[in-house]
């Protein structure tokens, strides 16, 4: 079966003059090599495509694939992660992962939080700051600030936790100027932090495991920031957990996965309040897939499954949605 691998290669954007932080969500050659290797071992005929623009050129030219596997994040716009799925739908091209609506919704943190809140899933109180004006909305302190549509911890760090309106205004102004987008201010959650890996669709969706993320207090004020994520090993402890609090995190993660319409796989982040109650933070519907650096593969390995197993679960879930059941069975058996 012919598979088109779509991605934004970090080196390409660095060569164009973009910064390390601007390209933080893009993928390394090692990630693409690992994906191609795993997909090949699963029986796929893998074609490296690259950026969404190249996929568009090929689709316009009449080329088709049994499946497009896209981890492209996009560069511009609040719906940048939805661009490749939307392109695939224009050309009736089967593809893995969530549809354009879910991709757009989950990138916008306030929209995602409203949907899960309306579904009965707990999430911290929040306000949106489009500009740092004198008349700031009321929110309980301490509060935590971050851009509304960034990933990989961008905009998060020691300064994100604020204790009063003066600090709130100063940090909001800095983030708005730096990232050119509104800021979400959430009530600060002082408890444990979890990330939950999920694969599958509908009734067949399953939690791979729940991983606790513990950042050393002296590392960027204990915040799982962009700087920490880039070089996490000396500063972070990642532990698989299965106590009552972790199990509740897994339950809420699965509920959010369904409420937001995620497909094939996703990683859901939660953090507990001061009463050991996990609260929804966000969903990543195209989580990083570096075998040893990205949270979802690390979680999968710690849960006792292989990297190939993870990629196989994603692709078999995707092609089953297109009623290619015989092909799916062949891939699973490969």
């Amino acid at each position: 079966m012919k598979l088109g691998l779509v991605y934004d290669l970090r080196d390409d954007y660095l060569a164009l003059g973009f910064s390390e932080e601007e390209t933080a969500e893009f993928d390394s050659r090692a990630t693409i090599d690992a994906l191609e290797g795993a997909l090949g071992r699963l029986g796929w005929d893998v074609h490296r495509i690259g950026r969404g623009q190249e996929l568009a050129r090929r689709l316009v030219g009449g080329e088709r694939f049994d499946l497009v596997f896209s981890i492209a994040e996009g560069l511009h716009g609040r719906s940048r992660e939805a661009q490749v799925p939307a392109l695939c739908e224009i050309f009736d091209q089967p593809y893995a992962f969530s549809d354009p609506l879910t991709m757009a919704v989950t990138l916008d943190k306030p929209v995602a939080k409203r949907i899960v809140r309306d579904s009965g899933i707990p999430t911290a109180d929040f306000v949106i700051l489009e500009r740092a004006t004198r008349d700031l909305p009321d929110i309980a302190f301490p509060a935590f600030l971050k851009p509304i549509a960034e990933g990989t911890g961008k905009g998060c760090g020691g300064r994100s936790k604020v204790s009063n309106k003066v600090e709130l205004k100063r940090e909001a102004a800095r983030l708005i100027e730096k990232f050119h987008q509104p800021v979400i201010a959430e009530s600060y959650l002082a408890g444990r932090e979890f990330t939950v890996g999920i694969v599958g669709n509908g009734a067949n969706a399953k939690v791979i495991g729940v991983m606790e993320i513990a950042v050393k207090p002296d590392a960027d004020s204990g915040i799982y920031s962009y700087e920490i994520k880039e070089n996490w090993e000396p500063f972070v402890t990642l532990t698989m957990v299965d106590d009552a609090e972790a199990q509740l995190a897994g339950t809420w993660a699965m509920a959010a996965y369904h409420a937001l319409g995620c497909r094939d796989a996703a990683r859901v982040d939660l953090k507990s309040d001061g009463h050991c109650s996990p609260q929804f933070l966000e969903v990543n519907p195209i989580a990083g897939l570096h075998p040893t650096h990205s949270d979802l593969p690390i979680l999968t390995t710690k849960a006792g499954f292989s990297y190939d197993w993870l990629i196989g679960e994603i692709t078999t879930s995707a092609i089953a949605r297109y009623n290619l059941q015989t092909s799916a069975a062949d891939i699973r058996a490969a």
Side-chain angles (χ1 to χ4, degrees), residues 181-202:
Q181 61 186 270
V183 167
I184 181 172
E186 302 171 284
S187 297
Y188 180 72
L189 298 167
R192 299 161 69 190
E193 186 165 354
F194 304 101
T195 192
V196 182
I198 299 176
V199 290
N201 298 307

Side-chain angles (χ1 to χ4, degrees), residues 250-265:
T251 298
W252 287 133
M254 181 62 78
Y257 185 87
H258 289 308
L260 292 164
C262 297
R263 303 190 314 199
D264 302 334

Side-chain angles (χ1 to χ4, degrees):
M1 295 181 72
K2 182 180 178 182
L3 181 142
L5 185 55
V6 180
Y7 51 88
D8 292 307
L9 189 63
R10 193 174 192 179
D11 288 349
D12 290 345
Y13 290 90
L14 290 172
L16 292 172
F18 290 91
S19 70
E20 292 283 345
E21 186 174 26
E22 287 175 312
T23 61
E25 293 187 77
F26 297 159
D27 289 288
S28 67
R29 294 185 187 277
T31 300
I32 308 309
D33 290 344
L35 272 174
E36 182 177 28
L39 290 162
R41 289 188 294 273
L42 290 165
W44 290 97
D45 173 22
V46 182
H47 295 247
R48 291 196 186 199
I49 296 174
R51 299 193 300 167
Q53 293 93 326
E54 176 61 17
L55 175 63
R57 187 188 68 78
R58 294 197 185 193
L59 293 176
V60 169
E63 189 172 0
R64 294 294 183 272
F65 306 88
D66 290 296
L67 187 72
V68 162
F69 190 107
S70 173
I71 54 172
E73 300 276 355
L75 187 61
H76 298 297
R78 62 185 292 196
S79 299
R80 54 189 170 82
E81 292 182 351
Q83 291 166 357
V84 170
L87 176 62
C88 287
E89 293 198 350
I90 289 173
F91 288 93
D92 196 25
Q93 165 63 64
Y95 62 97
F97 299 114
S98 296
D99 69 6
L101 179 59
T102 294
M103 290 292 194
V105 163
T106 53
L107 184 62
D108 190 308
K109 293 176 176 63
V111 173
K113 282 168 67 73
R114 292 186 184 107
I115 290 173
V116 300
R117 183 180 62 189
D118 288 351
S119 300
I121 301 162
T123 188
D125 291 337
F126 66 97
V127 297
I128 307 305
L129 306 173
E130 296 194 10
R131 53 188 178 277
T133 63
R134 289 184 181 178
D135 299 322
L136 294 170
D138 290 329
I139 188 171
F141 290 103
F144 193 88
L145 276 64
K146 54 190 172 185
I148 67 167
E150 297 293 343
T152 319
K154 292 201 293 188
C156 298
R159 289 181 290 183
S160 297
K161 183 181 176 183
V162 298
S163 301
N164 53 60
K165 284 197 171 183
V166 173
E167 293 178 0
L168 175 68
K169 182 178 179 179
R170 181 171 61 241
E171 181 62 6
R174 185 185 74 84
L175 291 173
I176 290 168
E177 180 180 4
K178 181 175 182 178
F179 292 98
H180 309 291
Q181 61 186 270
V183 167
I184 181 172
E186 302 171 284
S187 297
Y188 180 72
L189 298 167
R192 299 161 69 190
E193 186 165 354
F194 304 101
T195 192
V196 182
I198 299 176
V199 290
N201 298 307
N204 294 321
K206 56 193 174 189
V207 171
I208 302 171
V210 179
M211 187 168 72
E212 183 172 0
I213 299 167
V215 182
K216 295 180 181 179
D218 59 345
D220 209 359
S221 302
I223 305 299
Y224 200 31
S225 63
Y226 156 70
E227 288 79 11
I228 296 298
K229 289 188 177 186
E230 285 288 273
N231 181 33
W232 66 267
E233 289 91 342
F235 308 110
V236 179
T237 300
L238 302 175
T239 308
M240 300 303 293
V241 286
D242 192 35
D243 55 67
E245 191 175 344
Q247 290 176 17
L248 185 55
T251 298
W252 287 133
M254 181 62 78
Y257 185 87
H258 289 308
L260 292 164
C262 297
R263 303 190 314 199
D264 302 334
R267 201 195 73 239
V268 186
D269 297 334
L270 306 97
K271 199 171 191 292
S272 291
D273 60 15
H275 305 286
C276 300
S277 175
Q279 309 284 303
F280 170 86
L281 292 178
E282 60 184 279
V283 172
N284 191 334
I286 42 172
L289 289 174
H290 187 286
T292 59
H293 186 77
S294 300
D295 286 341
L296 181 57
I298 292 172
L299 180 156
T300 299
T301 301
K302 287 180 176 290
F305 302 101
S306 69
Y307 183 74
D308 285 11
W309 176 88
L310 173 63
I311 304 307
E313 287 293 305
I314 295 170
T315 53
T316 53
S317 295
I319 60 179
R321 290 191 286 101
Y322 293 99
N323 295 316
L324 300 174
Q325 300 291 353
T326 301
S327 298
D330 292 342
I331 291 295
R332 184 177 286 112

